[in-house]
Amino acid sequence: MPPLNAPEEGVPAAGLASWQQDNSSTSYASYAPNMLSELPELGPLPETPTSSPPAPGPLLSPPASFMRTTRPRRFSNISISSVAATVGSETQSACVGSTRDLTGRSPVLLINYQELQYESEVDKSLECPICRTPFHAPITTKPCGHTFCSECLLRAHQLRPVCPIDRRPLDVERDFCKARVIHDQLDRLRVKCPSQGCGHVCARELLAVHYERYCEYTPVLCPDNSCDLWIARQDAAPDKGCLHKYTPCQYCSKQVMKAGLEEHYDRECSGNTVKCAQCDSSVVQHRMENHVANDCPSTVVLCKWNKYGCGKSAPRHDVQAHEKKPCIYQAIGRLAQDREDDRLIISELKVRLSAAEGRLRVAEQEKTERRERKRRQAGNTNNTMPPFVPDLNLSNSPRAAASYNNGTLDSPEDYMLAQFERMETQMEDLRKNIHELDGLHSMRLLNDTMRLNEQIAELGSKVGVIGMHTTWLMNVQRQSRGQQRAGGVVGSPLSSLASSSGGPGTTNSATGSVTNAARNAPDNEGGRYYNSSLPLRRNSDGRGENPPRL
Amino acid sequence: MSYSMEDNQNSAPGSVPATKLGGARKGTEPGLNASKRLQTELMQLMTSPAPGISAFPSADGNLLAWRATIEGPDDTPYAGLTFKLSFEFPSNYPYAPPTVLFRTPIYHPNVDFSGRICLDILKDKWTAAYNIQTVLLSLQSLLGEPNNASPLNGEAAELWDKDPALFKIKVMDRHKDIEEDE
C-alpha cells in the first residue's frame, strides 16, 4: 500500500486546475466491477443471486448495481422465488413482474437509505461522517476503527485508497469488516416508509419487507409493458392500464396526467372546492364525504369509547375535548382493546402452530414411508433404489436444501431427519411463545383488575363512613327531639335547627343539648370531638414519653 | 438505459411521485446526495455555529454554491478583518472537494491575487469526511500559519518572516482597497 500512496504524499500542492483535471478524469468505469466483486464479502447480504446484472454502463449504473447487491437478503430471495413461481402463470401482472425481473430490472423502486426520515432520535455517533445520515450497512476499518456506510466508504476508497478520517492507507480485502453491533442498533431505529402517501413507521430492519411487499404506495413499474415510468402499487392494476397519459381535468379542463389526477384535484385545481354546510370551510368536492366523516368539527359524532358504554354524542370538537378529559370509559376501553390485540396474536400463533404441526406430520409420514421402503429393499436386494425427489413443501429452507445438494448431508434420510428436527424446534418455539403470551396476558389482566378492586374497596369504605355520619346525625336529631319533648320549654326551633345542620365540625358553643347528645352516643366518631378531655390527655402523654427529636 | 432516461425526461413535467422518484431508480444519483448532505451541513451550521465563521447558500436557491465569511484570528495581521469566500460544490461532493475562492482581496502567502487558495486539504488531501465547517476552520488557521514553503504569493511569503510590520501594512492596504470597490 505505501508505494501507491507515497508519490501523492510527496507532491507539493499543485495548481487548482491540475487537481480538477485529475478529479474529472476519475471515472466510475473501473469502480463498478470492483464493487461487484467485493460486495458479497462486505455488504450485510452475501450470496444474492441478483448480483449479476447486465454489464453496467460507465457512469450512472454502478450505484444502481451496488444497491441491487446490498438489498436485504430476505427480499431478494422472495423476489427470486416469486419470479420462479410466476414464470409459468398466465395472468398479465405476473408476466409483467417476471419478464421485467428477468431482464435485470427490479419491479420495485429501490429504497434510498440516505433519504429516509427517522422518527426516533438518532444518536450523532450513528451518523456516517461522509453522508451525515445514519449508517446504512456500516463498515468499520480494521487498522483505525472508523465506521462508514459501506457505499460511502467504497466510493471514497475508489477515489483515494485511504481512510477518510485519518488518511491511513486501507486495503479493501484486508482492512474492512462489518460493524455488527452498530448494525443491530441501526436496525432498531424507527423510520418512515419512503413511499409518498404512506405514513407507515416501523423498525428499519422491517422497512424493506414492508416497502417491497406490503406498502400500497411503493412505486412499481407501470403495468403497461410499453411504459417505463413508475406508479404507486395501488394504482398499478393491469385493468386500469397505463396511467401516464394526459387527460383534461373535468373541473378546470387543464391537461393532467391520469396518475396525478387526485393530487391535481387536491392541490392545484380551483374549480373543485365547495363549502361545507356545517363548518363553513371550503373543501375539495370529492373529499366532502371524508371531511364529514373524519374532520368536520361541527358534525355530531359519538365518543370513541361508545362501544364500551359511554353514551356521549355531540359535535366533533366537543367530543374530542370530552375524550381528552378523559372519558371515564377509557380505562375499560383500553383494557378491552388490549385483550382484542392479544387474542389476535394468540390466534395467529395458533395458526402458525397448526401449520407447523401439519408440516411435521407430513415429515413424519415421509420418514415412516422411507423406513418402510428401506426395509423392503433390505429384504429384496435385487431392487434398485428409486431416485430421491425431495418434496417441495419440505425444502422451504434454502440453506438446508443447498447443503443437501452440496452433499454435506449424505443421504435423503439424513436430510429428512434434519428437516424433522428443524420442525420440532420450530414447534417448540411456537409453544413457548404461546405460553409466554398467555402469562403476559393474564398478568396484565390481573394488574388492571387489582387496581379496579382497590378503587371499589375505597369507594365502599367511603360509603360506609357517610352511612356512619348519617346515623350519627339521625341519633343527634332523635335525641334532641326527645329532650325537647321531655324538657318542653327549652326546645326552641332555633336549637333544633342548629343541631340538625351541625356535623362533627360544629363548635362546642352550640346549645347544651347538642353536647349532651354527643356524649350519649360514644360509638360515633363525631362524639370524640366533643369529649374535649380525650385529645388533650393524649397530647400530654405523647409529649411526656417521647423526648423532642431535635 | 438511454431510451428509458429520455422517456423519463419527456414525460417528467406534471407527473407526480413516480417521476419525482425516477432519479433514485439509477441508484444514488450524485447531485441528489450532494444536496442532501449540504442540507444536513446547513442545518448543523445553523444549530451549532462555530465562532468566527459563517456560511450560507447563495441567494438564488442553488445549494451547490455557498457564500461564507471568516473573521481574521486575533494575534495575526488579519485580526479584526472579515473575509468573504465563495464555495462551489461539485455534483459528487463530498467525494470531491469544493472550489473555494477568497472574494475579499487578501494579502496572504498562499492566496493569489484572484483569490485562489493553495491548501492541501482542498486538493490532494481532501477526504469525504471534511465539511464546510472544517474547511472554514482550516482556512482560518491558515491565516495565522501560512505555508511559506509553497507560496502562491512569493512576496508575501518573504515578507511574513522578514518584515512583519510591512506585511501588516500590505494586508491592510489590500483589504481596504477592494472593499471600497465592492
Side-chain angles (χ1 to χ4, degrees), chain A residues 92-109:
Chain A
Q92 203 195 341
S93 64
C95 281
V96 169
S98 56
T99 47
R100 296 219 180 165
D101 241 8
L102 291 176
T103 54
R105 282 183 60 182
S106 156
V108 178
L109 198 64

Side-chain angles (χ1 to χ4, degrees), chain A residues 147-169:
Chain A
T147 308
F148 309 88
C149 305
S150 54
E151 190 185 346
C152 296
L153 180 56
L154 287 173
R155 250 182 104 170
H157 190 270
Q158 194 56 38
L159 297 172
R160 265 165 64 79
V162 296
C163 171
I165 301 275
D166 59 8
R167 298 203 193 89
R168 192 190 288 254

Side-chain angles (χ1 to χ4, degrees), chain B residues 28-90:
Chain B
T28 45
E29 202 172 85
L32 280 180
N33 274 352
S35 334
K36 168 91 180 145
R37 150 107 185 218
L38 285 167
Q39 266 170 12
T40 330
E41 286 193 36
L42 179 59
M43 196 95 92
Q44 194 198 345
L45 281 165
M46 305 275 273
T47 51
S48 53
I53 61 172
S54 68
F56 207 75
S58 326
D60 59 355
N62 175 17
L63 258 182
L64 293 181
W66 285 47
R67 290 299 161 110
T69 56
I70 55 178
E71 283 165 20
D74 296 339
D75 306 324
T76 67
Y78 306 96
L81 303 178
T82 306
F83 298 93
K84 290 194 165 71
L85 300 109
S86 71
F87 280 72
E88 299 277 344
F89 295 94

Side-chain angles (χ1 to χ4, degrees), chain A residues 19 130 132 151 164 167 230, chain B residues 18 25 28 37 97 127 130-131:
Chain A
W19 190 88
I130 295 179
R132 304 265 160 180
E151 190 185 346
R167 298 203 193 89
W230 300 89
Chain B
R25 168 154 47 115
T28 45
R37 150 107 185 218
T127 77
Y130 279 114
N131 56 37

Side-chain angles (χ1 to χ4, degrees), chain A residues 1-13 160, chain B residues 124-125:
Chain A
M1 229 51 244
L4 221 164
N5 217 29
E8 280 182 18
E9 302 279 341
V11 170
R160 265 165 64 79
Chain B
D124 58 316
K125 288 288 174 60

